[in-house]
Amino acid sequence: TVREPEKPSVAAEVAAALGGFRKGDGQFERADAIVANARGHLVELFVKEAETTGKSLEDLPIIPAHFGLRPTEDAGPLLRRLVQLMQDPSVDEVVNACDAGREGELIFRLIYEYARCRKPMRRMWLQSMTEGAIREAWERSRAGSDYDGLADAARCRSEADWLVGINGTRGASRLNERRSGAWEQMSVGSVQTPTLARVVRRESAIKNFVPQ
């Protein structure tokens, strides 16, 4: 069994709470289990055609038929170790112990998919890091398929963010270039842009306030 928390500190706490583990080479090991951590997102969405198309307004939007996966720039040995553990013949199942929520689900699922892992998956839903809560989460771990809906929602959000970010940024940058005659990247994001718009509108209201 490989248990995969999201952070090194969480891995250490899980191993300590469950007991019997010794510190190995970047992981915690005992006879029947290994606790190995990720570190946030180690795998990201990737669209090959975005490197060669969508550079002009005429080519936008880019709507890929399929999203690929690739390691993030800083994934390095950590991702390779997790992939190696998932593919190890002695490992019979993988347990997702990432943060209890949509993003924790996505972090694990992308690594699992990138590793082309087909081994049974279980989910530890860790909402507290006390020893008792960790042991209870392990004892009550459920089939990973019980969280497929959450994983689908996480993947949908991630793909939507990519679509808005790439197409919005390139489109806004090209439109600004036409207007100003100079190239400047205008960053657009599904969270960033509406959040900044609220700040800008509020600042404008303050500056233009007329007492009555």
Side-chain angles (χ1 to χ4, degrees):
T1 299
V2 173
R3 300 183 183 95
E4 186 182 322
E6 187 175 324
K7 307 175 184 71
S9 60
V10 176
E13 291 182 58
V14 169
L18 298 181
F21 287 87
R22 61 178 178 82
K23 184 71 179 293
D25 184 17
Q27 61 220 25
F28 298 89
E29 303 176 6
R30 71 182 189 190
D32 64 334
I34 299 169
V35 178
N37 65 276
R39 187 189 61 244
H41 283 282
L42 299 178
V43 176
E44 64 185 4
L45 298 181
F46 171 63
V47 176
K48 187 175 182 179
E49 54 263 40
E51 297 181 347
T52 55
T53 63
K55 303 295 180 71
S56 68
L57 289 173
E58 290 71 27
D59 291 336
L60 292 174
I62 304 169
I63 309 293
H66 172 73
F67 283 89
L69 298 177
R70 67 181 178 188
T72 57
E73 287 186 3
D74 62 347
L78 186 55
L79 177 60
R80 288 195 292 272
R81 176 166 56 85
L82 291 174
V83 171
Q84 185 179 17
L85 287 171
M86 287 184 174
Q87 294 176 346
D88 190 325
S90 66
V91 172
D92 56 5
E93 70 174 1
V94 184
V95 180
N96 176 7
C98 289
D99 288 353
R102 187 176 65 178
E103 208 61 24
E105 196 68 27
L106 181 65
I107 287 169
F108 173 85
R109 295 290 183 122
L110 291 183
I111 295 171
Y112 185 87
E113 183 179 338
Y114 176 80
R116 297 182 180 178
C117 189
R118 297 293 182 269
K119 295 175 182 178
M121 179 201 315
R122 285 198 288 157
R123 181 57 150 122
M124 282 179 68
W125 196 256
L126 288 166
Q127 293 183 292
S128 171
M129 293 307 297
T130 65
E131 287 192 7
I134 292 171
R135 286 193 290 267
E136 183 179 3
W138 168 243
E139 291 166 2
R140 296 188 177 185
S141 60
R142 294 163 55 181
S145 57
D146 289 352
Y147 296 87
D148 283 350
L150 182 65
D152 290 343
R155 187 64 178 263
C156 181
R157 193 276 310 157
S158 180
E159 292 180 1
D161 280 357
W162 188 96
L163 291 169
V164 171
I166 290 292
N167 292 302
T169 295
R170 291 185 180 183
S173 299
R174 289 303 180 190
L175 287 170
N176 182 65
E177 182 183 31
R178 285 187 180 182
R179 180 185 63 81
S180 65
W183 168 258
E184 179 183 1
Q185 180 161 302
M186 312 296 290
S187 181
V188 174
S190 61
V191 175
Q192 165 193 300
T193 301
T195 302
L196 288 175
R198 290 177 65 88
V199 175
V200 169
R201 287 171 185 156
R202 185 59 180 158
E203 180 68 13
S204 177
I206 292 169
K207 286 183 176 180
N208 298 314
F209 177 71
V210 178
Q212 294 180 3

Tab-separated table of all heavy atoms in Angstrom, residues 63-123:
chain	number	residue	atom	x	y	z
A	63	ILE	N	-9.485	25.310	-28.693
A	63	ILE	CA	-10.365	24.381	-27.971
A	63	ILE	C	-9.854	22.966	-28.242
A	63	ILE	O	-10.212	22.345	-29.245
A	63	ILE	CB	-11.837	24.512	-28.419
A	63	ILE	CG1	-12.303	25.958	-28.375
A	63	ILE	CG2	-12.725	23.614	-27.557
A	63	ILE	CD1	-12.377	26.552	-26.980
A	64	PRO	N	-8.990	22.443	-27.410
A	64	PRO	CA	-8.392	21.130	-27.683
A	64	PRO	C	-9.406	19.999	-27.539
A	64	PRO	O	-10.309	20.059	-26.707
A	64	PRO	CB	-7.284	21.016	-26.635
A	64	PRO	CG	-7.762	21.876	-25.500
A	64	PRO	CD	-8.504	23.016	-26.141
A	65	ALA	N	-9.218	18.980	-28.361
A	65	ALA	CA	-10.055	17.785	-28.240
A	65	ALA	C	-9.640	16.960	-27.029
A	65	ALA	O	-10.433	16.207	-26.469
A	65	ALA	CB	-9.946	16.951	-29.506
A	66	HIS	N	-8.381	17.133	-26.600
A	66	HIS	CA	-7.865	16.340	-25.481
A	66	HIS	C	-6.792	17.139	-24.764
A	66	HIS	O	-5.980	17.827	-25.387
A	66	HIS	CB	-7.268	15.026	-26.000
A	66	HIS	CG	-6.559	14.229	-24.965
A	66	HIS	ND1	-7.216	13.544	-23.967
A	66	HIS	CD2	-5.231	14.014	-24.748
A	66	HIS	CE1	-6.331	12.933	-23.199
A	66	HIS	NE2	-5.126	13.210	-23.646
A	67	PHE	N	-6.788	17.065	-23.435
A	67	PHE	CA	-5.741	17.679	-22.622
A	67	PHE	C	-4.730	16.608	-22.227
A	67	PHE	O	-5.096	15.577	-21.675
A	67	PHE	CB	-6.329	18.290	-21.348
A	67	PHE	CG	-7.036	19.593	-21.564
A	67	PHE	CD1	-8.384	19.622	-21.869
A	67	PHE	CD2	-6.358	20.792	-21.452
A	67	PHE	CE1	-9.050	20.822	-22.068
A	67	PHE	CE2	-7.007	22.005	-21.644
A	67	PHE	CZ	-8.365	22.022	-21.953
A	68	GLY	N	-3.455	16.871	-22.530
A	68	GLY	CA	-2.405	15.982	-22.091
A	68	GLY	C	-1.908	16.381	-20.709
A	68	GLY	O	-2.366	17.371	-20.136
A	69	LEU	N	-0.969	15.609	-20.192
A	69	LEU	CA	-0.388	15.886	-18.880
A	69	LEU	C	1.125	15.941	-19.003
A	69	LEU	O	1.726	15.207	-19.795
A	69	LEU	CB	-0.766	14.794	-17.875
A	69	LEU	CG	-2.251	14.606	-17.562
A	69	LEU	CD1	-2.434	13.443	-16.597
A	69	LEU	CD2	-2.868	15.873	-16.995
A	70	ARG	N	1.746	16.809	-18.208
A	70	ARG	CA	3.200	16.879	-18.158
A	70	ARG	C	3.631	17.306	-16.750
A	70	ARG	O	2.857	17.940	-16.025
A	70	ARG	CB	3.744	17.859	-19.191
A	70	ARG	CG	3.390	19.306	-18.930
A	70	ARG	CD	3.939	20.210	-20.010
A	70	ARG	NE	3.558	21.598	-19.774
A	70	ARG	CZ	3.765	22.586	-20.651
A	70	ARG	NH1	4.327	22.324	-21.811
A	70	ARG	NH2	3.395	23.819	-20.365
A	71	PRO	N	4.866	16.993	-16.363
A	71	PRO	CA	5.348	17.417	-15.046
A	71	PRO	C	5.454	18.935	-14.968
A	71	PRO	O	5.758	19.594	-15.967
A	71	PRO	CB	6.740	16.773	-14.951
A	71	PRO	CG	6.738	15.681	-15.956
A	71	PRO	CD	5.839	16.141	-17.066
A	72	THR	N	5.194	19.496	-13.808
A	72	THR	CA	5.453	20.910	-13.595
A	72	THR	C	6.973	21.114	-13.581
A	72	THR	O	7.742	20.163	-13.451
A	72	THR	CB	4.857	21.403	-12.269
A	72	THR	OG1	5.401	20.614	-11.196
A	72	THR	CG2	3.340	21.246	-12.277
A	73	GLU	N	7.400	22.360	-13.723
A	73	GLU	CA	8.827	22.646	-13.861
A	73	GLU	C	9.643	22.148	-12.671
A	73	GLU	O	10.803	21.768	-12.824
A	73	GLU	CB	9.047	24.150	-14.048
A	73	GLU	CG	8.626	24.660	-15.425
A	73	GLU	CD	8.992	26.111	-15.629
A	73	GLU	OE1	9.630	26.700	-14.724
A	73	GLU	OE2	8.649	26.659	-16.685
A	74	ASP	N	9.064	22.188	-11.473
A	74	ASP	CA	9.823	21.824	-10.278
A	74	ASP	C	9.483	20.428	-9.753
A	74	ASP	O	9.837	20.078	-8.624
A	74	ASP	CB	9.595	22.858	-9.173
A	74	ASP	CG	8.126	22.934	-8.742
A	74	ASP	OD1	7.271	22.381	-9.464
A	74	ASP	OD2	7.844	23.543	-7.696
A	75	ALA	N	8.800	19.612	-10.570
A	75	ALA	CA	8.372	18.284	-10.095
A	75	ALA	C	9.562	17.365	-9.836
A	75	ALA	O	9.660	16.718	-8.794
A	75	ALA	CB	7.408	17.654	-11.093
A	76	GLY	N	10.461	17.298	-10.798
A	76	GLY	CA	11.737	16.601	-10.666
A	76	GLY	C	11.691	15.227	-10.032
A	76	GLY	O	10.805	14.409	-10.307
A	77	PRO	N	12.658	14.945	-9.138
A	77	PRO	CA	12.787	13.616	-8.526
A	77	PRO	C	11.572	13.211	-7.707
A	77	PRO	O	11.285	12.026	-7.587
A	77	PRO	CB	14.027	13.772	-7.624
A	77	PRO	CG	14.777	14.928	-8.185
A	77	PRO	CD	13.737	15.854	-8.737
A	78	LEU	N	10.857	14.192	-7.146
A	78	LEU	CA	9.703	13.863	-6.305
A	78	LEU	C	8.636	13.134	-7.112
A	78	LEU	O	8.095	12.103	-6.685
A	78	LEU	CB	9.135	15.137	-5.686
A	78	LEU	CG	8.001	14.962	-4.665
A	78	LEU	CD1	8.417	14.035	-3.534
A	78	LEU	CD2	7.585	16.323	-4.110
A	79	LEU	N	8.321	13.629	-8.295
A	79	LEU	CA	7.327	12.978	-9.138
A	79	LEU	C	7.833	11.624	-9.616
A	79	LEU	O	7.081	10.643	-9.634
A	79	LEU	CB	6.978	13.870	-10.335
A	79	LEU	CG	5.992	13.277	-11.344
A	79	LEU	CD1	4.659	12.952	-10.680
A	79	LEU	CD2	5.786	14.225	-12.521
A	80	ARG	N	9.094	11.553	-9.991
A	80	ARG	CA	9.650	10.272	-10.453
A	80	ARG	C	9.568	9.214	-9.361
A	80	ARG	O	9.286	8.041	-9.635
A	80	ARG	CB	11.102	10.469	-10.913
A	80	ARG	CG	11.232	11.231	-12.215
A	80	ARG	CD	12.619	11.087	-12.806
A	80	ARG	NE	13.636	11.753	-12.004
A	80	ARG	CZ	13.981	13.034	-12.142
A	80	ARG	NH1	13.377	13.788	-13.048
A	80	ARG	NH2	14.931	13.553	-11.384
A	81	ARG	N	9.787	9.618	-8.118
A	81	ARG	CA	9.698	8.664	-7.011
A	81	ARG	C	8.272	8.152	-6.840
A	81	ARG	O	8.046	6.951	-6.635
A	81	ARG	CB	10.193	9.312	-5.716
A	81	ARG	CG	10.054	8.424	-4.490
A	81	ARG	CD	10.858	8.958	-3.330
A	81	ARG	NE	10.514	10.329	-2.985
A	81	ARG	CZ	9.508	10.670	-2.178
A	81	ARG	NH1	8.739	9.732	-1.649
A	81	ARG	NH2	9.271	11.920	-1.899
A	82	LEU	N	7.288	9.048	-6.918
A	82	LEU	CA	5.895	8.639	-6.769
A	82	LEU	C	5.464	7.711	-7.903
A	82	LEU	O	4.766	6.715	-7.678
A	82	LEU	CB	4.988	9.868	-6.718
A	82	LEU	CG	5.122	10.740	-5.465
A	82	LEU	CD1	4.270	11.999	-5.607
A	82	LEU	CD2	4.726	9.980	-4.219
A	83	VAL	N	5.885	8.029	-9.118
A	83	VAL	CA	5.557	7.171	-10.262
A	83	VAL	C	6.185	5.793	-10.076
A	83	VAL	O	5.549	4.756	-10.316
A	83	VAL	CB	6.036	7.821	-11.581
A	83	VAL	CG1	5.900	6.831	-12.740
A	83	VAL	CG2	5.241	9.093	-11.871
A	84	GLN	N	7.440	5.770	-9.628
A	84	GLN	CA	8.122	4.502	-9.401
A	84	GLN	C	7.405	3.661	-8.352
A	84	GLN	O	7.240	2.441	-8.518
A	84	GLN	CB	9.568	4.761	-8.967
A	84	GLN	CG	10.401	3.499	-8.810
A	84	GLN	CD	11.830	3.811	-8.409
A	84	GLN	OE1	12.140	4.905	-7.945
A	84	GLN	NE2	12.724	2.851	-8.600
A	85	LEU	N	6.949	4.302	-7.274
A	85	LEU	CA	6.237	3.577	-6.231
A	85	LEU	C	4.909	3.035	-6.750
A	85	LEU	O	4.534	1.892	-6.463
A	85	LEU	CB	5.992	4.486	-5.029
A	85	LEU	CG	7.205	4.808	-4.160
A	85	LEU	CD1	6.860	5.891	-3.139
A	85	LEU	CD2	7.710	3.559	-3.454
A	86	MET	N	4.183	3.844	-7.517
A	86	MET	CA	2.894	3.393	-8.049
A	86	MET	C	3.060	2.227	-9.013
A	86	MET	O	2.170	1.382	-9.134
A	86	MET	CB	2.183	4.557	-8.743
A	86	MET	CG	1.611	5.589	-7.796
A	86	MET	SD	0.691	6.863	-8.707
A	86	MET	CE	-0.001	7.802	-7.338
A	87	GLN	N	4.194	2.176	-9.718
A	87	GLN	CA	4.425	1.119	-10.689
A	87	GLN	C	5.140	-0.089	-10.087
A	87	GLN	O	5.295	-1.116	-10.757
A	87	GLN	CB	5.243	1.673	-11.853
A	87	GLN	CG	4.506	2.735	-12.670
A	87	GLN	CD	5.365	3.333	-13.760
A	87	GLN	OE1	6.582	3.172	-13.791
A	87	GLN	NE2	4.734	4.057	-14.683
A	88	ASP	N	5.557	0.012	-8.834
A	88	ASP	CA	6.267	-1.086	-8.172
A	88	ASP	C	5.354	-2.311	-8.063
A	88	ASP	O	4.244	-2.221	-7.543
A	88	ASP	CB	6.689	-0.627	-6.771
A	88	ASP	CG	7.651	-1.598	-6.096
A	88	ASP	OD1	7.498	-2.821	-6.304
A	88	ASP	OD2	8.531	-1.136	-5.364
A	89	PRO	N	5.782	-3.475	-8.551
A	89	PRO	CA	4.945	-4.685	-8.492
A	89	PRO	C	4.542	-5.093	-7.079
A	89	PRO	O	3.522	-5.757	-6.888
A	89	PRO	CB	5.827	-5.755	-9.140
A	89	PRO	CG	6.799	-4.997	-9.980
A	89	PRO	CD	7.053	-3.715	-9.254
A	90	SER	N	5.341	-4.707	-6.071
A	90	SER	CA	5.023	-5.088	-4.699
A	90	SER	C	3.912	-4.219	-4.094
A	90	SER	O	3.375	-4.547	-3.035
A	90	SER	CB	6.272	-4.984	-3.817
A	90	SER	OG	6.701	-3.639	-3.683
A	91	VAL	N	3.568	-3.136	-4.768
A	91	VAL	CA	2.498	-2.250	-4.291
A	91	VAL	C	1.172	-2.723	-4.879
A	91	VAL	O	1.028	-2.821	-6.101
A	91	VAL	CB	2.775	-0.781	-4.693
A	91	VAL	CG1	1.571	0.104	-4.381
A	91	VAL	CG2	4.009	-0.251	-3.972
A	92	ASP	N	0.198	-3.026	-4.008
A	92	ASP	CA	-1.064	-3.585	-4.494
A	92	ASP	C	-2.211	-2.588	-4.501
A	92	ASP	O	-3.251	-2.842	-5.124
A	92	ASP	CB	-1.458	-4.822	-3.678
A	92	ASP	CG	-1.537	-4.531	-2.182
A	92	ASP	OD1	-1.374	-3.353	-1.787
A	92	ASP	OD2	-1.770	-5.472	-1.416
A	93	GLU	N	-2.069	-1.445	-3.816
A	93	GLU	CA	-3.101	-0.411	-3.856
A	93	GLU	C	-2.484	0.930	-3.503
A	93	GLU	O	-1.402	1.013	-2.917
A	93	GLU	CB	-4.256	-0.724	-2.900
A	93	GLU	CG	-3.900	-0.605	-1.436
A	93	GLU	CD	-5.104	-0.775	-0.519
A	93	GLU	OE1	-6.211	-1.005	-1.012
A	93	GLU	OE2	-4.932	-0.651	0.705
A	94	VAL	N	-3.184	2.013	-3.878
A	94	VAL	CA	-2.707	3.369	-3.628
A	94	VAL	C	-3.791	4.123	-2.867
A	94	VAL	O	-4.976	4.025	-3.196
A	94	VAL	CB	-2.388	4.103	-4.955
A	94	VAL	CG1	-1.804	5.480	-4.678
A	94	VAL	CG2	-1.419	3.282	-5.793
A	95	VAL	N	-3.392	4.859	-1.839
A	95	VAL	CA	-4.340	5.594	-1.003
A	95	VAL	C	-4.098	7.089	-1.156
A	95	VAL	O	-2.975	7.570	-0.968
A	95	VAL	CB	-4.196	5.204	0.484
A	95	VAL	CG1	-5.203	5.978	1.332
A	95	VAL	CG2	-4.384	3.703	0.660
A	96	ASN	N	-5.139	7.811	-1.505
A	96	ASN	CA	-5.079	9.271	-1.626
A	96	ASN	C	-5.309	9.886	-0.246
A	96	ASN	O	-6.408	9.823	0.285
A	96	ASN	CB	-6.139	9.751	-2.617
A	96	ASN	CG	-6.201	11.270	-2.718
A	96	ASN	OD1	-5.375	11.984	-2.142
A	96	ASN	ND2	-7.180	11.761	-3.463
A	97	ALA	N	-4.249	10.478	0.318
A	97	ALA	CA	-4.360	11.155	1.612
A	97	ALA	C	-4.087	12.652	1.458
A	97	ALA	O	-3.663	13.312	2.402
A	97	ALA	CB	-3.398	10.542	2.618
A	98	CYS	N	-4.311	13.183	0.249
A	98	CYS	CA	-4.142	14.619	0.021
A	98	CYS	C	-5.244	15.384	0.760
A	98	CYS	O	-6.155	14.792	1.334
A	98	CYS	CB	-4.188	14.935	-1.472
A	98	CYS	SG	-2.734	14.356	-2.383
A	99	ASP	N	-5.153	16.711	0.739
A	99	ASP	CA	-6.106	17.546	1.462
A	99	ASP	C	-7.544	17.166	1.119
A	99	ASP	O	-7.856	16.837	-0.030
A	99	ASP	CB	-5.884	19.026	1.136
A	99	ASP	CG	-4.607	19.566	1.771
A	99	ASP	OD1	-3.982	18.831	2.552
A	99	ASP	OD2	-4.242	20.716	1.482
A	100	ALA	N	-8.412	17.222	2.115
A	100	ALA	CA	-9.825	16.886	1.917
A	100	ALA	C	-10.506	18.027	1.180
A	100	ALA	O	-10.855	19.048	1.765
A	100	ALA	CB	-10.493	16.645	3.271
A	101	GLY	N	-10.668	17.877	-0.125
A	101	GLY	CA	-11.291	18.923	-0.917
A	101	GLY	C	-11.027	18.705	-2.392
A	101	GLY	O	-10.318	17.769	-2.789
A	102	ARG	N	-11.558	19.603	-3.200
A	102	ARG	CA	-11.471	19.458	-4.651
A	102	ARG	C	-10.028	19.515	-5.147
A	102	ARG	O	-9.614	18.720	-5.990
A	102	ARG	CB	-12.301	20.558	-5.316
A	102	ARG	CG	-12.440	20.420	-6.814
A	102	ARG	CD	-13.344	21.491	-7.383
A	102	ARG	NE	-12.762	22.826	-7.224
A	102	ARG	CZ	-13.334	23.946	-7.668
A	102	ARG	NH1	-14.514	23.881	-8.256
A	102	ARG	NH2	-12.753	25.115	-7.500
A	103	GLU	N	-9.229	20.448	-4.625
A	103	GLU	CA	-7.865	20.613	-5.129
A	103	GLU	C	-6.974	19.452	-4.715
A	103	GLU	O	-6.135	18.988	-5.489
A	103	GLU	CB	-7.285	21.936	-4.640
A	103	GLU	CG	-6.240	22.526	-5.568
A	103	GLU	CD	-6.758	22.835	-6.964
A	103	GLU	OE1	-7.993	23.025	-7.122
A	103	GLU	OE2	-5.950	22.870	-7.905
A	104	GLY	N	-7.159	18.962	-3.487
A	104	GLY	CA	-6.409	17.792	-3.058
A	104	GLY	C	-6.726	16.583	-3.917
A	104	GLY	O	-5.847	15.776	-4.238
A	105	GLU	N	-7.992	16.455	-4.294
A	105	GLU	CA	-8.395	15.353	-5.175
A	105	GLU	C	-7.711	15.471	-6.529
A	105	GLU	O	-7.235	14.481	-7.096
A	105	GLU	CB	-9.915	15.359	-5.339
A	105	GLU	CG	-10.489	14.080	-5.907
A	105	GLU	CD	-10.363	12.892	-4.956
A	105	GLU	OE1	-10.312	13.094	-3.721
A	105	GLU	OE2	-10.306	11.760	-5.453
A	106	LEU	N	-7.656	16.699	-7.059
A	106	LEU	CA	-7.044	16.910	-8.374
A	106	LEU	C	-5.548	16.620	-8.338
A	106	LEU	O	-5.012	15.983	-9.256
A	106	LEU	CB	-7.278	18.350	-8.830
A	106	LEU	CG	-6.719	18.715	-10.210
A	106	LEU	CD1	-7.426	17.922	-11.303
A	106	LEU	CD2	-6.852	20.212	-10.469
A	107	ILE	N	-4.857	17.073	-7.300
A	107	ILE	CA	-3.417	16.844	-7.188
A	107	ILE	C	-3.104	15.356	-7.275
A	107	ILE	O	-2.224	14.932	-8.026
A	107	ILE	CB	-2.883	17.436	-5.865
A	107	ILE	CG1	-2.842	18.970	-5.951
A	107	ILE	CG2	-1.496	16.884	-5.528
A	107	ILE	CD1	-2.575	19.653	-4.631
A	108	PHE	N	-3.859	14.543	-6.523
A	108	PHE	CA	-3.621	13.103	-6.537
A	108	PHE	C	-4.002	12.482	-7.875
A	108	PHE	O	-3.246	11.680	-8.447
A	108	PHE	CB	-4.413	12.427	-5.421
A	108	PHE	CG	-4.353	10.930	-5.471
A	108	PHE	CD1	-3.301	10.254	-4.882
A	108	PHE	CD2	-5.328	10.198	-6.132
A	108	PHE	CE1	-3.217	8.863	-4.944
A	108	PHE	CE2	-5.263	8.819	-6.202
A	108	PHE	CZ	-4.209	8.144	-5.606
A	109	ARG	N	-5.179	12.817	-8.386
A	109	ARG	CA	-5.661	12.171	-9.610
A	109	ARG	C	-4.739	12.434	-10.797
A	109	ARG	O	-4.547	11.553	-11.644
A	109	ARG	CB	-7.079	12.647	-9.918
A	109	ARG	CG	-8.140	12.258	-8.898
A	109	ARG	CD	-8.445	10.779	-8.900
A	109	ARG	NE	-9.521	10.463	-7.967
A	109	ARG	CZ	-10.659	9.857	-8.314
A	109	ARG	NH1	-10.863	9.474	-9.553
A	109	ARG	NH2	-11.580	9.599	-7.395
A	110	LEU	N	-4.185	13.638	-10.898
A	110	LEU	CA	-3.293	13.928	-12.017
A	110	LEU	C	-2.010	13.109	-11.922
A	110	LEU	O	-1.494	12.629	-12.942
A	110	LEU	CB	-2.966	15.420	-12.063
A	110	LEU	CG	-4.118	16.361	-12.434
A	110	LEU	CD1	-3.628	17.799	-12.504
A	110	LEU	CD2	-4.772	15.964	-13.759
A	111	ILE	N	-1.488	12.930	-10.709
A	111	ILE	CA	-0.298	12.092	-10.534
A	111	ILE	C	-0.626	10.635	-10.868
A	111	ILE	O	0.126	9.956	-11.569
A	111	ILE	CB	0.240	12.205	-9.098
A	111	ILE	CG1	0.726	13.634	-8.819
A	111	ILE	CG2	1.371	11.200	-8.860
A	111	ILE	CD1	1.068	13.890	-7.359
A	112	TYR	N	-1.753	10.160	-10.378
A	112	TYR	CA	-2.206	8.784	-10.618
A	112	TYR	C	-2.356	8.530	-12.124
A	112	TYR	O	-1.925	7.495	-12.643
A	112	TYR	CB	-3.529	8.580	-9.888
A	112	TYR	CG	-4.104	7.187	-9.926
A	112	TYR	CD1	-3.744	6.229	-8.986
A	112	TYR	CD2	-5.057	6.837	-10.883
A	112	TYR	CE1	-4.293	4.953	-9.003
A	112	TYR	CE2	-5.609	5.561	-10.913
A	112	TYR	CZ	-5.226	4.623	-9.970
A	112	TYR	OH	-5.782	3.368	-9.991
A	113	GLU	N	-2.966	9.490	-12.818
A	113	GLU	CA	-3.171	9.343	-14.265
A	113	GLU	C	-1.841	9.432	-15.013
A	113	GLU	O	-1.590	8.663	-15.948
A	113	GLU	CB	-4.130	10.429	-14.758
A	113	GLU	CG	-4.468	10.326	-16.232
A	113	GLU	CD	-5.440	11.397	-16.688
A	113	GLU	OE1	-6.173	11.954	-15.839
A	113	GLU	OE2	-5.462	11.693	-17.894
A	114	TYR	N	-0.993	10.384	-14.619
A	114	TYR	CA	0.298	10.547	-15.292
A	114	TYR	C	1.140	9.274	-15.150
A	114	TYR	O	1.858	8.880	-16.085
A	114	TYR	CB	1.041	11.741	-14.689
A	114	TYR	CG	2.426	11.951	-15.241
A	114	TYR	CD1	2.619	12.581	-16.469
A	114	TYR	CD2	3.549	11.501	-14.539
A	114	TYR	CE1	3.897	12.761	-16.982
A	114	TYR	CE2	4.827	11.681	-15.049
A	114	TYR	CZ	4.996	12.312	-16.270
A	114	TYR	OH	6.259	12.493	-16.777
A	115	ALA	N	1.054	8.622	-13.989
A	115	ALA	CA	1.806	7.387	-13.748
A	115	ALA	C	1.189	6.186	-14.462
A	115	ALA	O	1.753	5.093	-14.405
A	115	ALA	CB	1.876	7.112	-12.249
A	116	ARG	N	0.039	6.399	-15.103
A	116	ARG	CA	-0.692	5.314	-15.773
A	116	ARG	C	-0.968	4.168	-14.804
A	116	ARG	O	-0.879	2.982	-15.147
A	116	ARG	CB	0.079	4.815	-17.001
A	116	ARG	CG	0.255	5.885	-18.064
A	116	ARG	CD	0.968	5.376	-19.287
A	116	ARG	NE	1.119	6.413	-20.301
A	116	ARG	CZ	1.739	6.247	-21.466
A	116	ARG	NH1	2.271	5.064	-21.760
A	116	ARG	NH2	1.830	7.247	-22.324
A	117	CYS	N	-1.289	4.554	-13.593
A	117	CYS	CA	-1.570	3.578	-12.543
A	117	CYS	C	-2.986	3.035	-12.692
A	117	CYS	O	-3.926	3.796	-12.923
A	117	CYS	CB	-1.396	4.232	-11.174
A	117	CYS	SG	-1.469	3.072	-9.802
A	118	ARG	N	-3.128	1.740	-12.565
A	118	ARG	CA	-4.446	1.098	-12.652
A	118	ARG	C	-4.748	0.294	-11.391
A	118	ARG	O	-5.705	-0.477	-11.363
A	118	ARG	CB	-4.502	0.177	-13.882
A	118	ARG	CG	-4.340	0.905	-15.211
A	118	ARG	CD	-5.523	1.824	-15.496
A	118	ARG	NE	-5.389	2.490	-16.782
A	118	ARG	CZ	-4.807	3.666	-16.960
A	118	ARG	NH1	-4.286	4.298	-15.909
A	118	ARG	NH2	-4.717	4.212	-18.153
A	119	LYS	N	-3.944	0.494	-10.378
A	119	LYS	CA	-4.129	-0.266	-9.145
A	119	LYS	C	-5.307	0.293	-8.350
A	119	LYS	O	-5.676	1.454	-8.515
A	119	LYS	CB	-2.841	-0.211	-8.325
A	119	LYS	CG	-1.681	-0.922	-9.028
A	119	LYS	CD	-0.376	-0.769	-8.296
A	119	LYS	CE	0.745	-1.464	-9.078
A	119	LYS	NZ	2.058	-1.309	-8.430
A	120	PRO	N	-5.924	-0.534	-7.508
A	120	PRO	CA	-7.046	-0.061	-6.695
A	120	PRO	C	-6.663	1.195	-5.911
A	120	PRO	O	-5.548	1.331	-5.426
A	120	PRO	CB	-7.325	-1.236	-5.761
A	120	PRO	CG	-6.804	-2.433	-6.495
A	120	PRO	CD	-5.615	-1.956	-7.268
A	121	MET	N	-7.636	2.093	-5.820
A	121	MET	CA	-7.416	3.377	-5.169
A	121	MET	C	-8.376	3.522	-3.999
A	121	MET	O	-9.553	3.186	-4.105
A	121	MET	CB	-7.667	4.506	-6.179
A	121	MET	CG	-7.492	5.910	-5.636
A	121	MET	SD	-8.378	7.136	-6.665
A	121	MET	CE	-7.943	6.611	-8.325
A	122	ARG	N	-7.866	4.030	-2.877
A	122	ARG	CA	-8.720	4.368	-1.743
A	122	ARG	C	-8.474	5.812	-1.343
A	122	ARG	O	-7.473	6.417	-1.717
A	122	ARG	CB	-8.467	3.426	-0.563
A	122	ARG	CG	-9.069	2.042	-0.758
A	122	ARG	CD	-9.201	1.298	0.563
A	122	ARG	NE	-7.898	0.891	1.063
A	122	ARG	CZ	-7.657	0.645	2.346
A	122	ARG	NH1	-8.605	0.820	3.252
A	122	ARG	NH2	-6.472	0.247	2.742
A	123	ARG	N	-9.421	6.367	-0.567
A	123	ARG	CA	-9.347	7.770	-0.175
A	123	ARG	C	-9.403	7.920	1.333
A	123	ARG	O	-10.340	7.465	1.994
A	123	ARG	CB	-10.522	8.532	-0.820
A	123	ARG	CG	-10.583	10.048	-0.530
A	123	ARG	CD	-9.326	10.742	-0.944
A	123	ARG	NE	-9.498	12.118	-1.342
A	123	ARG	CZ	-8.880	13.163	-0.768
A	123	ARG	NH1	-8.101	12.979	0.278
A	123	ARG	NH2	-9.044	14.374	-1.241
